[in-house]
Structures are given as structure tokens and as C-alpha cells.
Amino acid sequence: MTVAAEHRRIRVAGYVSPTRAWLERSLLTILYRVALGLILTFIAAPIVVVFIASVNETQYLRFPPAGFSTRWWEAALTERWMGPTWLSLRLAAVTAVMSSILGTLAALGIYRGSFRGRDALLAALLSPLILPQIVTGAAMLQFFALIGLRDVLGFPALLLGHIVITLPYAIRTVMVSLHGLDRRLEWAAQDLGANPVQTFVRVTLPLIKNGVFAGAVFAFIVSFNDVPISLFLGRPGNIPIPIAILGHVESRFDPAVAAVAVVTIAIVLALIAIAERFARVSEFIYQQER
Amino acid sequence: MEQPSATDVAVVGVTKRFGDVTAVHKVSLDVAHGEFLTLLGPSGCGKTTTLNIIAGFLRPDDGQILLGGQRVDHLPPYRRDTAMVFQQYALFPHMTVAENIAFGLQMRKAPKAEIVTRVQRALEIVRLPGLGDRRPSQLSGGQQQRVALARAIVVEPTVLLLDEPLSNLDLKLRENLRLEIKRVQRELGITAIYVTHDQGEALVMSDRIAVMNQGVVEQLGPPTEIYEEPRTAFVAEFIGTSNFLRGRLDGVEEETANIVLADGVQLRARRRPDGPTDGEVLVMVRPEHLALGGGNGTDGRANELRALVKEVVYLGSYIRFVAELATGDTVTVEEMNLPGAVRAGIGESVTLRVAPEHCLLLARPER
Ligand SMILES: Nc1ncnc2c1ncn2[C@@H]1O[C@H](COP(=O)(O)OP(=O)(O)O)[C@@H](O)[C@H]1O
Ligand SMILES: [Mg+2]
């Protein structure tokens, strides 16, 4: 034990009383909870306020709310607002389908391929994530005008624009799935006699379907919420709901808009709830890459 | 066993390079119908690459593959009548056990009723009846291995390819399953190419073993021949335990040779007709052929070596001595633990005896 005698043990800290240790621990816990509470409040409060505003009697919201009324909801549930909402739903649905199909094919080609310019192609396809969307939107409008396709403005142009900006999400989620897919499963299928198409349908697709599905959900939400692209590519009679809301609140605040906002929020939340039942879409939000 | 007739698989001069690495170099193999051939060698010697070339997952840079006498080089994997058991099983996780096994039959467009009965039978053959509705994730490693085997044999391939199928299992299970795989293969009379780095597995299971080293087949033959007649120092070292004595050739006859060790001791060794004729050589001796204690040699023909005992390891049924020769070479001696057997302690000077026919002359690997 001579070594121990010469060698002074280094301790982490001096003596700490149990009370002090408890205080230190609880102080941290309290700080953490307060911060979390504040963040959640800032996320949730506007939604709550919008909801209260939509059933409030008066034109302007004040606290405490004065009286209950359904008249804003009656105004909201008319063609004036439901038309654009319906358009947005259709647009988002078609965008989601197209984007996930194209995104899956693109992801497969890029992930598996070994052709020249592969990285450049991927960067180009993902670039809408980085470019300012307002610029993309303006550029698209000019492009359509330039090639003499002003007529496509409205649904077709909106669809094309939304596919371009939602494709990155579909590509990314499918690539994450492909990354987690054991190549030998496809080898095994081929070894047992499956041709490339059978291999894709019976093995590859079932194993990456969560990624494909998540991509579709993201595409739907991004399309449904989109402002910058729709701003340029819509046209009278073909205006998605976010643009309709924006145009209306530019001049004044109308509690009917609050009711419309509640409807759109409900649609997106319902979609996510349904999607979560079919595939663990949340995995792609909370842990993109393992 | 009757004489195997038809050749099911022929690998002819196959070479495969990955960039600068030559993974497989001019490998040639013939596998007879119903034969169990093992590719044995250390990790990275090209076993998997060879198997993948036969299955069609990789294209060789040179050479040919024939299945049942037909060239298949140009065919994709799904047009080749092979079936592979993968190292990590590669079972389809989204299908049940029965669906996994049925997959190959479905791809071959077998009638539904036939698929059901054949899947059932395959499950019985691998001794997993009643587990058809489980998912692979609900099975143990050993059970998954059996499912992988069932999935491959159910399509009755021309050749069954197995890539280290037992390497992820623990020892006990491994020893059981290798007998199981062998039983299934024998019962079905299926031709098999088995890849392993485990010499024990290779010796127990194989009809013939191809020992591979750095992309080359060093020796191809039945297990007894591989163990008793290794052609190269690599084969001798890789299969079983070997002692190597360094020496110099001093005259060769038809089947014997005289060798002088570094300390001047003379040794007589067995020489194959194609063995080395002069220069620096190695003499290979198995530990069980070295006997402890000199003196009353029966015929006076035996080689005698002086050695110093360095280590004694008691192993129950036998005792292992590690001894150092005057040349500096260390040898391992194994003595059966019988009553009256010679004993020696650490630090004791002993005489080792070995008959010339158990001393095998080998070329010294250039290095
Ligand atoms: N896809 C590949 N790309 C590059 N090198 C490879 C590839 N596959 C195998 N190799 C190399 O080829 C050699 C043989 O590999 P492999 O056939 O897997 O060996 P084994 O199965 O005997 O362990 C190794 O050196 C390995 O690194
Ligand atoms: Mg391998």
C-alpha cells in the first residue's frame, strides 16, 4: 500500500450536505421545466387565441372574451372560404401522391446509381429547401409566362410548383428508409427467382413504405401550408386557402378568418393522427438518421 | 458413398478484382452431384466473392461458371438455379416464416396447393413444424437459421450455397446445427457449396475442402487428405495444429529426404514426388505424432530431437507440452494421458521421437 500512501486520491468535490445536493438538483429541474413550459406556451397560445377569437361575439378580441357567438363560423363555412380550402385539399393530395412517386423513383436512382453527376443531381433536386421560396415562386411565374404558358396558371401550375418544393421531403424520407434497408434482402429475393420488378414490389417497397408514406405526408402538409409559391402561381378562382387568408387579413382582422384557420389546423392535425396509425411518420421527424 | 457422376457446378479459372485488390484469382472448382464442398480460409481470402459470383450477384472479370453443364455467366441471379443461405440469414422481415419459405415457389409459379404442402414439408425437414405463422423477429438465431435453410432448399436448387451460416451462433448451437445442415443435405441429396473460416466445421461436414488463401485455392481434397497431406505450409498451419522445423535439404530420394536442421541434427522426412528438391525447407510434424522420451526406440529409424520443456498444459484426456529445440524452433507435443505415459516437468531436458513418415517435407513459403 506504499503507492497509495504517496498518491493522494483526487476527489470530485468536497463534502456536500444532502440538503444542498437536493437544492442543486431541484433548481436545475425547475429551470428546465420553466423553459419547456414557456416554449410550449408560445407554440400553443396563438392556436388557443385563434380558437377563442372564432367563437367570440365581438369583432375585436379582448380579454376576458365577451360573449359566445357562432356567426363567424357561419361566415367561415361558406363557399367563399370553403372553395379555397377544398382547392388546397385537392392540390395537397395530388401533390402528395405525385411527389412521393417521383421522390421514390428519384431516391432509388440516386441512392443505388453510380452515374456521373449523381451528387449534383441530388443537390439540384434538394435545392428548393435552400433557395428562398419567394424567389422560386417568382421565377416559376416568369418561366411560365416566358414559354407562353400563362394558361396553365391556376391548378396545373400550382401542382407543378408544389411538386418541385415538396420533392426534397419525399426524396429525403425515402433515402433514410433505403439507408436502413439491408441490400441482401433484395439479393435474397433475386436469388429465389424474383426479377427486378417482383423484387421491388414484394421486398423493396414494403420495406421502405414508411419512408414513402412519410414523404407523402410531409408533401401534403408543405403544399397545404404553402404561401410563397401559391402567391405567384394561383389565379382568381384558383386561390389556395393560405393565400385567400393572407389577402383578406391584409386589410382588416375578421374573426371569420380565425374560424377558417381553426379548420385548416384541424385538417393537418387529423391527417397526422391518421398517418401515424398507418406508419410511424413521427420517426422521420424525431430521428431522421440513426 | 457411390461414385459421384455428373458435375453440377463448375467454376473455371474465375478471377475477380476490386480496384487494386484481386479478391479471387484463377479459381477452378468442380462440384459433383450431391457433393458437399467447403471453401475454407481466413477472413478476406475471397470465399464470399466466389460464392457471389456463382450466385450471379457479382460478375467475374475472367473465367466461366457452369451450372448443370450450362454456361450461366450472362444470366442474372434470378435466372440461375442456385439458392443461397446468407450469413445474417436475410429473412424478409415483413413476411411470416411460411411466406418467406413460399417466396421462391411463388416466383416459380408453383400451384397454391403445392406451395402449402412443400412449405409444410420444408418446415418439417428443418424441424420447425408449427412455426409458419411467426415473424422472423420472433425467432431465436438458431431458428432463423433453420428458416433460411428451409427457404433455400424448398426450391430444390441445382446447388445450395451457404455463406458462413453458423458464424453468428454460439458454440453449442453451432455444433448442433452443422450436423443438422449436413443431415438435410445428405437426406435430400442436394449439391452444396459451404463457406466457412472454421476448420472444425469444414472437417466434420465436407466431402471435399478447398482451402483458400489470398484469393487462390491452395489445396482441394477430402478432409483426410487436407489434414494428413497438406501441400503447403499455409494449409498445414490453417488446419489443425502443426509444428514447423526449419532446415536445409541434404539429399532426396524417391519418397524420402534427408534434412539438416540449423543445429546440425539430421532428420529423415517423407517427400511427395512434387516436393522440393533442394534448398531451405520446412518439416511439418503434428503434435500427436511427437513422442516424449527417447532411448528404447523400437526400430532405431525414428528421428530424435533434443528439447527443453517450457510449458506443460494438462487437458484431461491428453497433456500438451511446449518445448524448445536447440535451433530455437518451438514445438508442441501432445501425449495421451494414459497410465504409465512419460511425464516431464518444466525446465526438464527431453528427447522427442517422431517417425520419418510423420515428418512431411514442405517448401518454405517465400516471404
Ligand atoms: N465490394 C467490394 N469492394 C471492394 N473490395 C471488396 C468487395 N468485396 C470484397 N472485397 C475484398 O475482396 C477480398 C475478399 O473478400 P471476401 O470474398 O468477402 O472474403 P471472405 O468471404 O473470404 O472473408 C477482401 O480483401 C475484401 O476486402
Ligand atoms: Mg465472407
Side-chain angles (χ1 to χ4, degrees):
Chain A
M1 288 281 100
T2 45
V3 179
E6 292 163 18
H7 205 99
R8 225 169 59 84
R9 275 182 68 192
I10 303 167
R11 290 169 195 275
V12 174
Y15 174 76
V16 176
S17 78
T19 325
R20 177 146 168 227
W22 180 83
L23 263 176
E24 279 179 5
R25 269 204 315 274
S26 14
L27 198 65
L28 273 178
T29 314
I30 290 165
L31 272 177
Y32 166 74
R33 292 207 174 138
V34 167
L36 187 64
L38 282 174
I39 293 170
L40 290 180
T41 306
F42 277 116
I43 292 175
I47 300 176
V48 175
V49 169
V50 163
F51 182 74
I52 294 173
S54 74
V55 293
N56 192 41
E57 177 122 54
T58 53
Q59 167 101 36
Y60 294 100
L61 188 57
R62 70 172 81 93
F63 266 98
F68 173 84
S69 163
T70 56
R71 65 179 167 130
W72 309 120
W73 277 86
E74 281 156 25
L77 295 175
T78 55
E79 175 59 25
R80 153 126 215 253
W81 292 108
M82 287 306 105
T85 305
W86 178 235
L87 173 77
S88 274
L89 271 175
R90 269 165 39 225
L91 181 61
V94 181
T95 300
V97 171
M98 296 298 293
S99 211
S100 51
I101 292 173
L102 293 174
T104 302
L105 296 176
L108 273 171
I110 290 169
Y111 192 80
R112 294 285 165 74
S114 56
F115 50 92
R116 197 152 9 128
R118 178 171 161 265
D119 293 343
L121 179 62
L122 180 62
L125 287 173
L126 297 185
S127 65
L129 283 182
I130 314 163
L131 295 177
Q133 294 206 354
I134 201 95
V135 175
T136 311
M140 281 181 181
L141 175 63
Q142 290 196 331
F143 175 71
F144 283 125
L146 205 67
I147 62 172
L149 283 181
R150 267 186 183 284
D151 286 348
V152 303
L153 291 183
F155 195 87
L158 284 167
L159 181 60
L160 285 174
H162 281 201
I163 289 173
V164 168
I165 59 161
T166 56
L167 209 49
Y169 297 91
I171 292 176
R172 286 291 295 145
T173 53
V174 173
M175 279 185 112
V176 170
S177 284
L178 284 173
H179 192 68
L181 172 70
D182 185 351
R183 216 46 234 274
R184 275 168 308 190
L185 293 173
E186 292 169 304
W187 280 20
Q190 298 214 352
D191 191 53
L192 291 165
N195 65 35
V197 174
Q198 289 168 320
T199 303
F200 180 75
V201 173
R202 294 286 310 267
V203 175
T204 314
L205 193 55
L207 293 175
I208 62 167
K209 74 167 195 309
N210 278 7
V212 175
F213 198 67
V217 170
F218 282 128
F220 186 97
I221 293 170
V222 169
S223 162
F224 194 72
N225 292 340
D226 173 74
V227 169
I229 304 293
S230 307
L231 200 55
F232 290 101
L233 301 184
R235 71 168 172 193
N238 262 323
I239 302 287
I241 190 67
I243 306 300
I245 293 175
L246 199 64
H248 194 68
V249 295
E250 254 174 9
S251 41
R252 67 211 154 87
F253 182 78
D254 180 346
V257 169
V260 174
V262 171
V263 171
T264 61
I265 291 169
I267 288 172
V268 170
L269 288 182
L271 174 79
I272 291 179
I274 295 168
E276 194 64 20
R277 300 214 63 148
F278 286 103
R280 312 253 323 134
V281 173
S282 55
E283 277 175 14
F284 289 86
I285 302 175
Y286 301 120
Q287 34 165 257
Q288 278 258 317
E289 258 149 331
R290 272 150 296 169
Chain B
M1 209 192 328
E2 55 191 301
Q3 190 61 29
S5 47
T7 296
D8 267 355
V9 186
V11 176
V12 189
V14 162
T15 295
K16 176 75 188 175
R17 282 177 286 271
F18 294 108
D20 294 341
V21 182
T22 303
V24 172
H25 183 69
K26 292 192 181 152
V27 164
S28 293
L29 303 164
D30 281 315
V31 193
H33 183 70
E35 187 180 21
F36 194 110
L37 180 100
T38 296
L39 302 181
L40 173 66
S43 174
C45 73
K47 308 180 296 290
T48 298
T49 304
T50 308
L51 219 54
N52 285 341
I53 289 171
I54 297 171
F57 300 133
L58 292 175
R59 296 203 158 227
D61 294 318
D62 200 8
Q64 303 175 2
I65 304 290
L66 290 90
L67 290 178
Q70 304 267 307
R71 281 197 63 172
V72 295
D73 310 76
H74 54 292
L75 296 179
Y78 54 92
R79 295 207 185 287
R80 297 190 188 192
D81 203 14
T82 63
M84 174 99 92
V85 177
F86 290 84
Q87 193 165 6
Q88 267 95 18
Y89 323 134
L91 297 176
F92 305 126
H94 58 297
M95 299 182 195
T96 64
V97 165
E99 285 165 351
N100 264 279
I101 300 173
F103 190 87
L105 296 172
Q106 287 166 354
M107 294 304 118
R108 284 164 174 74
K109 305 217 159 46
K112 277 222 169 62
E114 190 189 330
I115 292 180
V116 173
T117 51
R118 281 173 72 174
V119 168
Q120 225 40 53
R121 214 180 102 60
L123 277 169
E124 279 160 24
I125 289 173
V126 299
R127 307 214 163 129
L128 285 179
L131 291 191
D133 292 333
R134 300 265 190 98
R135 296 261 161 183
S137 57
Q138 296 170 306
L139 303 180
S140 71
Q143 288 173 326
Q144 292 185 33
Q145 188 51 67
R146 286 163 190 263
V147 175
L149 182 62
R151 184 176 70 174
I153 58 170
V154 79
V155 300
E156 297 174 357
T158 304
V159 58
L160 179 66
L161 306 172
L162 304 106
D163 189 1
E164 310 219 16
L166 305 180
S167 62
N168 291 316
L169 303 172
D170 55 45
L171 183 67
K172 193 89 186 119
L173 205 51
R174 223 157 49 215
E175 288 181 347
N176 275 331
L177 269 175
R178 66 191 185 197
L179 296 178
E180 283 283 284
I181 291 178
K182 184 66 196 168
R183 172 184 65 80
V184 169
Q185 182 266 338
R186 201 181 317 115
E187 277 177 18
L188 300 180
I190 211 165
T191 309
I193 302 182
Y194 188 94
V195 160
T196 183
H197 63 264
D198 181 330
Q199 44 136 337
E201 243 166 70
L203 291 173
V204 171
M205 302 175 82
S206 319
D207 294 322
R208 282 190 305 156
I209 300 173
V211 183
M212 289 186 72
N213 181 27
Q214 300 188 349
V216 176
V217 174
E218 293 233 348
Q219 189 169 352
L220 175 60
T224 48
E225 191 184 304
I226 298 286
Y227 185 79
E228 288 163 22
E229 302 280 332
R231 274 176 198 289
T232 64
F234 174 83
V235 174
E237 186 158 31
F238 197 76
I239 288 98
T241 316
S242 301
N243 294 306
F244 294 108
L245 310 176
R246 288 168 299 164
R248 152 170 276 294
L249 261 181
D250 180 28
V252 296
E253 288 154 40
E254 193 74 342
E255 291 183 345
T256 55
N258 290 321
I259 294 105
V260 185
L261 300 188
D263 59 349
V265 170
Q266 296 262 351
L267 215 63
R268 283 179 69 73
R270 188 158 57 89
R271 177 183 172 276
R272 267 192 303 268
D274 59 348
T277 49
D278 63 358
E280 302 286 320
V281 292
L282 288 177
V283 175
M284 193 278 285
V285 185
R286 297 284 186 192
E288 64 267 29
H289 291 141
L290 278 167
L292 211 57
N296 49 349
T298 42
D299 49 10
R301 272 190 337 115
N303 295 308
E304 297 202 348
L305 301 161
R306 299 293 303 167
L308 192 67
V309 176
K310 288 282 187 188
E311 211 179 302
V312 181
V313 185
Y314 181 79
L315 291 161
S317 57
Y318 60 96
I319 301 172
R320 178 180 298 154
F321 301 89
V322 178
E324 195 180 284
L325 304 181
T327 59
D329 286 329
T330 312
V331 295
T332 303
V333 182
E334 280 172 9
E335 288 276 355
M336 293 302 290
N337 188 10
L338 300 172
V342 188
R343 302 290 169 92
I346 293 173
E348 214 171 297
S349 189
V350 293
T351 303
L352 305 175
R353 268 184 306 123
V354 56
E357 59 266 32
H358 290 141
C359 295
L360 186 63
L361 181 67
L362 294 174
R364 201 182 283 193
E366 67 260 15
R367 189 175 307 160

